[in-house]
Amino acid sequence: MLRRGESGFVSALILSSLCLGFCRGYYSLEVGDPCPTASYRSRCQALDDCETLSSHLQVGRLTIQTVVNCGFTSRSEKICCPVEDAINLPRIDSTDPSTTTSTSTSSTTTSTSTSTSTTTTTTTTTTTTTPAPDNGDDWLSIFKTDLEYVQASTTPAPLRPTRDSDTLRDNSVGAECIAPLYEGQCLGVSACPSVDTLLRQGRLRDDDITTCRDGTHEEIICCPLNLPLEPRGTKLGTRLGVPQDSSEAKSQPDPQEAAAIARADALLPHYRHLAALAHPNAAFDGHLHHCSALVLTPQLLLSAAGCQRPSHAVFGVADMRDVDVDEDYLADIVRLAQFRNDLALIRLQDPLRLGRESSANVSLAPICSQFELARLQVSGSLVAVAWGKGEATDCPLYELPMQLRPSWACEDLPNYGGVKELGGLHICLSPEGGELALQRFSNDSTCAPCPSVVSSVLHLVRPGGSRCVLGIATPTGVDCDAREMYFTSLLSSQFRRFVEQEQRD
């Protein structure tokens, strides 16, 4: 048990470390586990099985916002379900003083040859019961335990069908079947349209798929048919299945936000060589992805030195608000090496699986040639690409058109990062749209481009539409809405020798 007081800080630190990176919702508990809710006694239970929730919502003891999530099943959300019903809470009723009188009679008989006498003795005992002092209706609740949960746990659970069980009533092809985690139809493995997707998403395991019978050519399984195969990020309904009020139901999503997400999805195929760097958030219960990096070699990434030390890199996700640690391609980072307080060479723990070897379809970054760098004015357009930055939130991928500026336009920029030889190997640029291009993506989010802060990668869009990399935003420490900024060129001989030396080490 975690106690408050002198050990509160240590207890909170232990709880935070247990939740680092892999918490689901607010808690991740098994069905039946007690929940640490403060205002009511509860245990973790599937939403569909919580019979007391509606009464608590009706009387106002709970609202949709105060119901605590404790995980997910393959069918629905798990919540901290109140143990008691709000309408019929158990109460100890005070009773009037009562007097119970019991009477017992004993008889003694003595006999002689001359006379007979009978003596009867009657004993009356009176017991008076005095009620307990009335200190409130629920004064005994401090001694109450979750007795009904203990009783329920002793009830024998029904046997679950396994892959080798014969408890299914009809096992012919096409017959309906019921598995512990889903309902379906008996079909051959090759004819089941959902099993591969559910196994690949990790929503079901091989042991969760039950067998109807052994087929002649292939196994006849209970094919899941009631589990929706919706892509991540699709909203299937309101939280807890409770209808929203009329004011919320009438509100429509911001079209600018929808457009920003659509643009990110369209841009991702052009930038498979980019990765988002993950840093722990302020509460240490998740990660934020506010820096970008490019794939230099299968085991080396390149980013700005101002991004400090990330924990891992994420590949192949257009909107970082949709990151899934179980489904997406993540790579752990083991070491960083800085180049002149300007660039950071990031070494991965394991080499990347390139191309179709992974779901992210990762590729190496195409670096522009010296000839293309010399002909920037006529050989194509320039764009800065990165994931946006929000206030304690992740953002989608963006592409910001840029224009060359004379070197004197960047001479007054600060150099808070201590970048060496600032201006020597750097290109001065500004957004084509000026201040308008640096505004938030939409009114519904705090996401903005911030190209000088998020280690945006400068690309040259060739006349044929292909892209190549020219540089990375220089970590000078300028603000998110800076009009002029430096980008560090990757074509210098000093940087090339630095990378070669790191590859040998």
Side-chain angles (χ1 to χ4, degrees):
M1 177 182 294
L2 297 175
R3 299 180 297 175
R4 300 182 182 273
E6 296 179 359
S7 63
F9 176 76
V10 178
S11 302
L13 191 59
I14 294 174
L15 182 59
S16 299
S17 64
L18 289 176
C19 289
L20 254 177
F22 296 97
C23 281
R24 297 291 188 269
Y26 191 75
Y27 295 101
S28 183
L29 303 175
E30 298 294 334
V31 173
D33 286 350
C35 288
T37 47
S39 58
Y40 60 100
R41 295 190 310 118
S42 62
R43 58 176 177 262
C44 188
Q45 201 167 12
L47 170 62
D48 299 338
D49 299 332
C50 183
E51 300 177 353
T52 59
L53 176 62
S54 58
S55 65
H56 283 257
L57 293 174
Q58 290 174 4
V59 302
R61 294 191 65 188
L62 291 176
T63 63
I64 298 177
Q65 291 75 18
T66 58
V67 175
V68 179
N69 173 284
C70 59
F72 295 88
T73 67
S74 62
R75 296 185 182 182
S76 66
E77 183 179 8
K78 291 190 294 185
I79 64 170
C80 290
C81 179
V83 174
E84 298 93 356
D85 187 276
I87 300 177
N88 300 317
L89 284 174
R91 297 179 180 271
I92 299 177
D93 298 329
S94 304
T95 57
D96 296 332
S98 59
T99 301
T100 304
T101 303
S102 59
T103 304
S104 59
T105 304
S106 60
S107 300
T108 305
T109 303
T110 306
S111 301
T112 63
S113 59
T114 57
S115 63
T116 304
S117 63
T118 303
T119 302
T120 302
T121 302
T122 302
T123 303
T124 302
T125 304
T126 302
T127 305
T128 301
T129 304
T130 303
D134 187 5
N135 295 328
D137 293 339
D138 297 329
W139 69 276
L140 282 178
S141 64
I142 60 175
F143 303 105
K144 188 172 182 179
T145 61
D146 198 355
L147 180 60
E148 53 266 51
Y149 167 63
V150 177
Q151 292 175 339
S153 65
T154 59
T155 305
L159 294 177
R160 288 187 173 188
T162 63
R163 294 185 66 85
D164 299 321
S165 65
D166 295 323
T167 59
L168 300 173
R169 289 174 295 180
D170 186 0
N171 57 10
S172 60
V173 175
E176 295 182 355
C177 55
I178 299 177
L181 299 180
Y182 62 89
E183 298 176 3
Q185 187 178 23
C186 290
L187 296 173
V189 174
S190 61
C192 180
S194 60
V195 63
D196 288 339
T197 302
L198 294 173
L199 291 175
R200 186 173 60 254
Q201 294 176 352
R203 297 166 62 190
L204 289 179
R205 298 179 302 175
D206 183 69
D207 294 340
D208 298 327
I209 309 296
T210 59
T211 300
C212 292
R213 62 180 175 86
D214 295 331
T216 305
H217 301 289
E218 62 179 352
E219 185 180 12
I220 307 300
I221 63 170
C222 185
C223 177
L225 296 181
N226 67 328
L227 300 180
L229 304 180
E230 297 290 340
R232 290 180 293 109
T234 301
K235 296 183 178 179
L236 300 179
T238 57
R239 186 176 184 270
L240 299 178
V242 180
Q244 297 175 328
D245 56 38
S246 57
S247 61
E248 294 179 352
K250 293 179 181 179
S251 62
Q252 298 294 328
D254 189 344
Q256 292 180 327
E257 181 70 11
I261 297 174
R263 285 195 301 270
D265 292 334
L267 288 172
L268 184 62
H270 296 289
Y271 299 107
R272 295 290 184 180
H273 54 274
L274 296 185
L277 302 181
H279 295 80
N281 60 14
F284 285 91
D285 59 358
H287 292 83
L288 292 175
H289 308 81
H290 288 169
C291 268
S292 304
L294 60 89
V295 181
L296 202 59
T297 72
Q299 203 163 2
L300 293 178
L301 306 182
L302 186 65
S303 183
C307 290
Q308 304 300 325
R309 174 62 188 263
S311 61
H312 60 270
V314 182
F315 300 87
V317 180
D319 189 346
M320 298 311 297
R321 292 170 292 192
D322 290 339
V323 171
D324 190 310
V325 297
D326 296 323
E327 296 183 20
D328 294 322
Y329 190 14
L330 278 63
D332 292 328
I333 294 171
V334 295
R335 189 164 66 89
L336 270 74
Q338 288 194 2
F339 174 72
R340 298 184 176 183
N341 295 334
D342 194 345
L343 301 174
L345 199 60
I346 302 171
R347 184 174 294 274
L348 303 178
Q349 181 174 354
D350 300 310
L352 293 172
R353 302 190 304 273
L354 301 178
R356 300 191 179 275
E357 294 182 10
S358 68
S359 58
N361 197 15
V362 181
S363 62
L364 298 180
I367 307 299
C368 298
S369 65
Q370 287 284 0
F371 177 74
E372 289 173 314
L373 177 61
R375 301 182 72 249
L376 284 180
Q377 300 284 2
V378 294
S379 61
S381 58
L382 297 175
V383 291
V385 183
W387 283 268
K389 186 178 186 297
E391 298 176 3
T393 183
D394 283 324
C395 299
L397 186 71
Y398 71 87
E399 186 181 69
L400 186 65
M402 305 292 289
Q403 60 185 357
L404 286 171
R405 297 298 308 276
S407 57
W408 58 260
C410 293
E411 288 179 354
D412 295 333
L413 289 178
N415 188 10
Y416 299 127
V419 178
K420 297 179 180 179
E421 298 183 15
L422 186 62
L425 304 174
H426 303 82
I427 309 171
C428 182
L429 298 105
S430 65
E432 279 190 358
E435 294 181 359
L436 185 63
L438 299 174
Q439 293 181 354
R440 293 180 176 180
F441 295 161
S442 70
N443 295 326
D444 283 355
S445 74
T446 60
C447 293
C450 299
S452 60
V453 178
V454 296
S455 180
S456 62
V457 181
L458 183 65
H459 289 76
L460 171 67
V461 181
R462 294 162 172 155
S466 62
R467 274 84 165 165
C468 64
V469 175
L470 281 171
I472 294 179
T474 309
T476 56
V478 294
D479 296 331
C480 198
D481 56 353
R483 292 283 303 274
E484 283 80 23
M485 63 203 72
Y486 275 125
F487 280 80
T488 306
S489 173
L490 306 184
L491 301 181
S492 68
S493 57
Q494 298 96 318
F495 175 69
R496 187 182 306 109
R497 287 193 295 269
F498 170 75
V499 174
E500 292 173 352
Q501 179 64 35
E502 289 296 321
Q503 285 181 306
R504 289 193 294 268
D505 292 344

